[in-house]
Amino acid sequence: PKGLKKKQKPYLTSNSGWSAEADNNKLGFVPSSGLGSKFTLEFKKVAQPVHMMTWMIMRSYGEKWDGSKLKVEAWSGERLLARDEIVGFHDKKTSETYNIKMKLFDQESDSIGIPPGSDLKVTFELVGGTTFKISGMAICDH
């Protein structure tokens, strides 16, 4: 958990109820305050174009995971580039990691993603269930 906290520190601009945990030897960022837990990552003046974000999330089963859902929004300034609600539960009797791709699109300028030098803000909020796990992320130019 300390390594994850260190990597997030330059980008984590607000956090209300999320923490780094390594339960069952699976490291990730999880809501520790339940429904409504929120955090924000900000990437200032990106060095290259950003067209897509990919989230590695865990889906699991059972009462703890029932109804698990995360709302993710990506912004550049006042422009909403993407919004999605990601489900964190499934009916399989196993925990699995999934890659969730989120394309960024600026409707105002009718263009894909953001150019170099732009700011990118990503907000996360637990809107369903009591838990969720984000185990990784990538920000891509394609």
Side-chain angles (χ1 to χ4, degrees):
K2 286 182 183 180
L4 179 56
K5 287 180 187 177
K6 185 177 178 181
K7 289 205 181 292
Q8 288 177 326
K9 189 175 181 177
Y11 311 105
L12 187 64
T13 57
S14 71
N15 183 1
S16 178
W18 284 74
S19 59
E21 292 186 11
D23 58 325
N24 295 321
N25 222 14
K26 295 178 183 175
L27 181 62
F29 209 47
V30 300
S32 50
S33 296
L35 202 60
S37 297
K38 299 177 183 179
F39 74 96
T40 301
L41 297 174
E42 291 190 49
F43 305 90
K44 300 287 188 181
K45 296 184 179 16
V46 296
Q48 62 188 42
V50 179
H51 296 162
M52 183 178 301
M53 298 180 299
T54 301
W55 311 106
M56 284 63 78
I57 61 109
M58 190 170 84
R59 286 193 177 132
S60 199
Y61 62 98
E63 190 175 320
K64 178 180 176 183
W65 288 85
D66 189 42
S68 174
K69 192 181 292 184
L70 184 71
K71 180 173 75 173
V72 181
E73 294 181 342
W75 298 82
S76 184
E78 298 298 314
R79 297 185 317 270
L80 178 65
L81 304 174
R83 174 185 286 140
D84 200 2
E85 288 193 358
I86 303 168
V87 173
F89 67 97
H90 59 195
D91 292 330
K92 298 178 184 181
K93 300 292 185 211
T94 183
S95 298
E96 297 178 352
T97 299
Y98 290 81
N99 292 332
I100 307 297
K101 295 182 184 301
M102 180 182 266
K103 286 188 178 183
L104 304 182
F105 185 78
D106 185 349
Q107 291 184 358
E108 191 175 295
S109 65
D110 195 32
S111 61
I112 296 172
I114 59 172
S118 300
D119 294 341
L120 177 64
K121 177 171 80 171
V122 188
T123 61
F124 303 81
E125 180 181 2
L126 185 68
V127 295
T130 59
T131 195
F132 199 92
K133 182 177 273 188
I134 301 168
S135 53
M137 65 175 281
I139 296 175
C140 308
D141 65 355
H142 58 279

